[in-house]
Amino acid sequence: MHDFRSDTVTLPTPEMRAAIAAARLGDAARGDDPTVAELERLACAMTGKDDALFVPSGTMANLAALIAHGCRGGEVIVEETAHIYNSEGGGLSVLAGAVPRPVKGKRGILASTDVEQAIRDGGDLAQAPTRLICLENTHNAAGGTVTTPATMAAIHAVARRAGIAVHLDGARLFNAAAFVDVPIGELCRHVDSLWFALCKGLGGPVGAILAGDAAFMLKARRAARMLGGGMRQAGLIAAPAIVALQDPYPGHRRDNALARRLAEGLTALSPALMDGDVQTNIVNCFIDDAPAITRALGERHVLALAKGRRIRFVTHAQVDETSIDAAIAALADVLAMHSRRSAHA
Ligand SMILES: Cc1ncc(COP(=O)(O)O)c(C=O)c1O
């Protein structure tokens, strides 16, 4: 099987399994697990933030951040197709008490001028005041698009003028960093809090890192604990993440390049399949009958995800050039079969 459904399908490498076996352990919720402490120190250094916390999932990282930023009763500006707004069960409102304020981005990327216009300063007593601006880099639903450091800086400047914090959903932050060719610290500079996934492009088995300044993180640590994020011998899952963080950029550059190669192949089949350039490791292709076509791809050992007219392919450490060629050949075959059927209908 060539599995392009998500970069979450990767399995730990032999080196990661060896690190799991050798991990020094303790009760992480009591601050006693040396491996978790090492991972959090490493994440601090990479993000340039005061403190970092190992949490079980990105959804929990987002929720803890919303709670720690005091969003209850206020508005949170989100891009209208953002994961935090569309794909986290409404936790933003249900658990953090925030009112989402969706703003349309260009291929998922918010413009600082649109963000500025959406801010509510609390002067009108009928309106919930803006408490937080959420960015997503890369943007999942938009097809792995990247918000550049310059755009992030412009949005941060708008937020600062309004006295509002900026939070970054950086599930695939390393893919963004590989695309703009900067270390992740450059993408963390322009936000007050952020998280990145350890179990997507990095290939670790479980978890995410939430980071921010000391005052924010004190509240975030409390919120994560309240949400059930206190883990015990979590060094078992922190150890492979430490392995993954040793030299993360070449792997993410490779994943981005594989996705571009897939996009080129799909464009060659039919330019109408594609909607804009592919920047990182997600390739969205648009076609009628996407669910039926995705099922037919599966019969040819190529797994992808269908949603509406969209078929999503995600590259990661466990697909390679052979997988890309297999995906292009399978789609060519399925499209040819479909057009023969349409001609006979
Ligand atoms: C952009 C984005 N944000 C948040 C999440 C949620 O992360 P998790 O599955 O670790 O809760 C995902 C998961 O795919 C994602 O792609």
Side-chain angles (χ1 to χ4, degrees):
M1 277 294 174
H2 304 286
D3 194 345
F4 292 95
R5 287 171 302 163
S6 178
D7 42 14
T8 56
V9 301
T10 53
L11 297 173
T13 60
E15 201 189 350
M16 287 180 186
R17 288 179 188 269
I20 292 169
R24 291 188 303 133
L25 304 174
D27 185 340
R30 293 179 198 280
D32 286 352
D33 189 303
T35 310
V36 169
E38 186 186 338
L39 172 63
E40 292 180 347
R41 273 195 304 275
L42 181 59
C44 268
M46 294 179 93
T47 57
K49 298 298 185 197
D50 295 344
D51 188 19
L53 172 68
F54 181 38
V55 287
S57 72
T59 301
M60 186 182 287
N62 273 336
L63 265 176
L66 290 161
I67 293 168
H69 282 300
C71 294
R72 181 166 296 277
E75 283 197 349
V76 173
I77 294 177
V78 292
E79 200 281 327
E80 66 176 8
T81 57
H83 198 281
I84 196 169
Y85 173 46
N86 292 281
S87 305
E88 294 178 19
L92 174 135
S93 299
V94 178
L95 297 166
V99 182
R101 179 76 191 273
V103 173
K104 190 173 173 48
K106 192 171 172 201
R107 295 187 75 212
I109 309 305
L110 289 170
S112 60
T113 44
D114 294 339
V115 170
E116 191 158 27
Q117 274 184 12
I119 290 174
R120 291 176 154 164
D121 63 10
D124 181 338
L125 295 182
Q127 295 177 344
T130 307
R131 294 263 191 261
L132 187 68
I133 298 163
C134 287
L135 305 180
E136 185 176 316
N137 202 9
T138 67
H139 194 294
N140 180 343
T145 47
V146 174
T147 304
T148 61
T151 300
M152 293 181 80
I155 292 172
H156 202 203
V158 163
R160 283 238 165 108
R161 282 200 294 278
I164 295 166
V166 180
H167 171 67
L168 170 63
D169 173 341
R172 297 182 177 81
L173 191 60
F174 284 91
N175 294 97
F179 177 71
V180 287
D181 203 16
V182 295
I184 60 159
E186 284 302 305
L187 298 171
C188 302
R189 271 181 29 182
H190 308 296
V191 295
D192 302 287
S193 61
L194 70 114
W195 74 270
F196 63 81
L198 298 164
C199 59
K200 297 191 170 77
L202 284 167
V206 186
I209 290 289
L210 174 63
D213 72 25
F216 164 81
M217 285 305 296
L218 188 61
K219 294 182 199 158
R221 282 179 177 272
R222 197 172 287 137
R225 188 62 187 262
M226 180 187 77
L227 293 167
M231 296 186 280
R232 303 304 179 181
Q233 284 69 42
L236 288 173
I237 48 176
I242 293 171
V243 172
L245 285 172
Q246 291 316 305
D247 189 17
Y249 298 104
H252 288 83
R253 278 197 286 272
R254 166 197 174 274
D255 294 350
N256 292 354
L258 284 176
R260 278 197 300 278
R261 179 171 162 158
L262 175 59
E264 280 161 19
L266 300 186
T267 306
L269 289 182
S270 165
L273 289 172
M274 305 301 297
D275 170 32
D277 62 329
V278 165
Q279 299 178 339
T280 59
N281 71 327
I282 300 179
V283 180
N284 279 341
C285 116
F286 297 88
I287 191 159
D288 292 336
D289 291 336
I293 288 176
T294 306
R295 273 194 302 279
L297 289 176
E299 285 155 15
R300 288 157 181 78
H301 309 293
V302 173
L303 299 180
L305 274 190
K307 196 168 188 184
R309 280 192 79 248
R310 171 161 68 111
I311 305 179
R312 187 186 81 163
F313 297 86
V314 184
T315 56
H316 51 78
Q318 281 156 25
V319 292
D320 56 15
E321 275 92 358
T322 312
S323 319
I324 300 296
D325 294 345
I328 296 167
L331 192 61
D333 190 29
V334 172
L335 292 181
M337 195 183 74
H338 261 246
S339 65
R340 277 197 302 277
R341 277 203 195 137
S342 317
H344 288 148

